[in-house]
Amino acid sequence: MPHTRPLGAQISHMLKDRGVDVIFGIPGVHNQEMYRGIEEAGITHVLARHEQGAGFMADGYARASGRPGVAYVITGPGLCNIMTPMGQAYSDSVPMLVISSCLDETAAKRGQLHQMKDQRAAAATVCDWSEEARTAEAAYALVDRALREMDTDRPRPKHIQVPIAQLEAAAPPFVAGGLIAGNSAAPEAQMREVAALLATSKRPLLVLGGGTTQASDQVRAFLGKCPAAVFTSYAGRGVVAPSYGLLFGSTLARPDSANVLAEADLVIAVGTELAQVDLWRDRLGHTAPLIRVDIDTEVLSNSSDAHLRIQCDAARFFEAVTAKINGAQTVWDPAAVAARRARWRSEIDAERTGIVPVCDALRACLPDGTMIYSDMTQLAYAAKEVWDMDQPGHWHHPYGFGTLGYAIPAAIGGGVARKGLPTMAIIGDYGFHYTMQELGVAVELGLPLPILLWDNGKLGEIEDSMVRAQIAPNAVIAHNPDFCKLAEAFGAQSAAPQSLHDMQAAVRTAFDADGPTLIYVTPDISR
């Protein structure tokens, strides 16, 4: 029979009951009661070096596992430090639950340790919702609400804060048991209308976003009956096989992609916001009817140019539509698709000289099923457009919020979620400065994590932008350390290959190491 425990301990036991196996965080005097029950509940705790790292680890864990990433942080600065990862998780639809302590009283008392004017409201600016649990019953209800919404609605981060006195107080048992499963069924009448439109379409075109990564089988089955042209967002890469002859890839940001969309006689956008960071232009470019499919009512409400708006899970949508079509003959030309992609690849190679060969060499040496976490760096920017993924949900990037320092801690979270499976990080020299301390966590955990550090000696993307804007580049160069020696000081291994062949060898070796390996690469490697 469950017994009374301090609420801090009960929360850990409840999370374990709800399927949580790992918590990322840093203990402090304010939240130490949350740590009372972690080991007793059988949960693994990963000690980050900074709360920002803990948040990115939870994000990486969630993206790799499909389960919520959970983090424990302290009042005030701990919560402030994790707000950047919360903002990133919000923009990229990542399920993350942040539980923090909070002061018992702030309105009539000043000068307390870690005091903020309104901690709950501050967190609310970067997550789906932020609430305070002033009783044990409220804490249990909010935990279940958060986990249930992550399962049934668009997954996004939530924050729950609990007053210190409540964490310390004896609390009754929570109710054991699972959560209610979601059911975003496809609306029958709208499915008939979609099927009717497809029956007369000769140039149907799909735009597939990150919301389709769990629907790859259903998408491919649909394309087997209706050979539509396909664009993916960066997050949607891998939903369609690279060998599919009508795949335009993740090239929506190419200005000429608007001309392709204008050729379509029906456009179906599924699981994508069609946001600025997807298109880098104001309009998609279509003139044909547009069907928007999404589980998020906000996305659908903002789709003023849509002929049809359908609130539905991507997998159920494609299952329902595929069952209603008898097959279709389209006039898209695979040779024309290939020619356009070749031209765009040449554009990317010209824009970022020397990076495309590095991407090709890196892709060729990775084990099957490698999961990649990248940072805001020019190597990743090029790779997102030229690197078709073999399977969905295996390249993670800070797309919307666009924070530096994401890749290493997120890859650590991914490595924790995928023990025994290949995971790697790609980061730039400047981004490495943001979260380099988390390298110690990867060493501590013995993660065989290759970290490809692309050092162009500057904030290269910002310098290029300044030049285009006719601004004399300034404040774009920082003094860098000897990155290899720094990695070794943490206890990691390092390599500084001088050729693409040597880089490939270093990457292969790193996957078999007993800890992380920093692989230092400069633009000279492809010359």
Side-chain angles (χ1 to χ4, degrees):
M1 182 73 178
H3 55 278
T4 298
R5 302 184 181 96
L7 178 58
Q10 292 282 37
I11 289 171
S12 292
H13 280 270
M14 180 181 185
L15 290 171
K16 178 65 175 181
D17 180 76
R18 301 311 195 249
V20 174
D21 294 319
V22 180
I23 291 173
F24 304 89
I26 301 176
V29 292
H30 278 190
N31 72 342
Q32 64 187 16
E33 282 297 335
M34 291 156 59
Y35 282 75
R36 184 185 294 275
I38 289 179
E39 290 187 5
E40 185 182 59
I43 293 176
T44 297
H45 182 269
V46 176
L47 177 63
R49 301 302 187 260
H50 187 283
E51 286 90 358
Q52 187 176 79
F56 287 143
M57 289 176 200
D59 174 300
Y61 178 90
R63 297 196 201 208
S65 67
R67 301 191 301 274
V70 180
Y72 281 176
V73 298
I74 61 164
T75 316
L79 183 66
C80 287
N81 287 339
I82 205 172
M83 282 172 63
T84 294
M86 289 167 71
Q88 189 63 64
Y90 182 85
S91 68
D92 288 351
S93 301
V94 178
M96 180 195 299
L97 177 58
V98 175
I99 303 180
S100 75
S101 54
C102 68
L103 296 172
D104 302 313
E105 170 58 49
T106 58
K109 197 172 183 180
R110 291 287 184 263
Q112 301 177 83
L113 178 66
H114 302 329
Q115 186 164 7
M116 291 176 66
K117 291 175 69 175
D118 195 337
Q119 174 179 294
R120 185 208 59 76
T125 63
V126 289
C127 64
D128 192 25
W129 50 257
S130 173
E131 300 290 355
E132 181 172 331
R134 298 176 184 173
T135 65
E137 291 76 15
Y140 301 154
L142 287 170
V143 168
D144 268 346
R145 174 188 167 191
L147 298 178
R148 184 178 297 112
E149 289 178 4
M150 290 175 191
D151 184 53
T152 59
D153 301 337
R154 183 175 182 176
R156 275 180 156 159
K158 329 281 186 179
H159 167 242
I160 301 170
Q161 63 181 34
V162 186
I164 298 166
Q166 284 297 323
L167 290 171
E168 295 171 345
F174 55 89
V175 176
L179 297 169
I180 300 170
N183 179 27
S184 299
E188 179 67 22
Q190 289 182 314
M191 294 303 100
R192 288 197 299 268
E193 187 172 351
V194 173
L197 288 167
L198 285 166
T200 59
S201 174
K202 296 300 181 186
R203 287 183 174 271
L205 187 148
L206 302 182
V207 180
L208 305 175
T212 65
T213 55
Q214 301 301 312
S216 182
D217 290 344
Q218 292 83 356
V219 170
R220 296 183 188 197
F222 168 83
L223 294 173
K225 293 182 73 173
C226 181
V230 178
F231 281 96
T232 73
S233 70
Y234 301 132
R237 283 184 296 163
V239 172
V240 176
S243 59
Y244 180 65
L246 300 179
L247 176 64
F248 283 101
S250 52
T251 51
L252 285 168
R254 294 288 107 194
D256 187 37
S257 69
N259 295 323
V260 175
L261 282 144
E263 297 174 16
D265 60 12
L266 178 65
V267 178
I268 305 176
V270 186
T272 173
E273 291 180 311
L274 299 179
Q276 180 194 38
V277 293
D278 295 319
L279 306 177
W280 294 109
R281 58 178 180 268
D282 293 333
R283 295 194 71 255
L284 185 58
H286 64 289
T287 57
L290 171 65
I291 298 171
R292 297 294 299 270
V293 182
D294 211 285
I295 61 171
D296 189 345
T297 54
E298 182 180 356
V299 169
L300 297 176
S301 297
N302 291 333
S303 307
S304 58
D305 61 342
H307 171 77
L308 194 61
R309 292 177 283 185
I310 302 172
Q311 186 174 15
C312 183
D313 171 85
R316 291 186 174 94
F317 169 78
F318 281 108
E319 281 178 353
V321 171
T322 303
K324 291 187 180 302
I325 58 177
N326 297 318
Q329 297 296 320
T330 66
V331 298
W332 291 106
D333 180 8
V337 174
R340 215 143 195 163
R341 291 207 65 182
R343 185 166 76 249
W344 292 340
R345 178 184 169 91
S346 296
E347 289 178 3
I348 296 161
D349 194 25
E351 292 165 1
R352 306 188 190 281
T353 305
I355 292 182
V356 171
V358 177
C359 294
D360 292 342
L362 185 58
R363 183 182 182 188
C365 74
L366 296 184
D368 291 342
T370 298
M371 185 168 284
I372 300 170
Y373 292 83
S374 60
D375 215 87
M376 302 294 284
T377 177
Q378 288 185 319
L379 177 58
Y381 301 155
K384 288 189 299 178
E385 293 193 87
V386 302
W387 190 321
D388 289 331
M389 298 298 292
D390 295 323
Q391 51 189 311
H394 276 64
W395 188 303
H396 305 293
H397 184 83
Y399 297 108
F401 211 42
T403 178
L404 284 160
Y406 169 81
I408 291 176
I412 291 170
V416 169
R418 287 165 39 89
K419 290 180 180 177
L421 297 175
T423 303
M424 77 172 298
I426 296 173
I427 195 165
D429 58 302
Y430 205 85
F432 184 77
H433 283 269
Y434 276 56
T435 51
M436 66 172 74
Q437 68 277 1
E438 305 304 341
L439 193 57
V441 180
V443 171
E444 212 165 65
L445 297 174
L447 292 177
L449 180 68
I451 301 169
L452 189 76
L453 192 152
W454 176 256
D455 183 8
N456 58 9
K458 60 183 74 174
L459 286 163
E461 189 72 8
I462 308 308
E463 182 183 64
D464 291 349
S465 180
M466 285 181 166
V467 170
R468 287 193 299 269
Q470 298 183 333
I471 299 170
N474 60 79
V476 295
I477 298 176
H479 174 71
N480 278 335
D482 183 321
F483 288 110
C484 290
K485 288 183 179 178
L486 181 62
E488 291 166 7
F490 274 105
Q493 299 181 42
S494 72
Q498 300 301 304
S499 69
L500 293 178
H501 178 270
D502 290 345
M503 179 193 75
Q504 290 176 318
V507 170
R508 293 188 190 101
T509 300
F511 279 115
D512 294 326
D514 57 3
T517 303
L518 186 139
I519 302 169
Y520 177 77
V521 175
T522 71
D524 290 336
I525 200 166
S526 61
R527 292 172 186 161

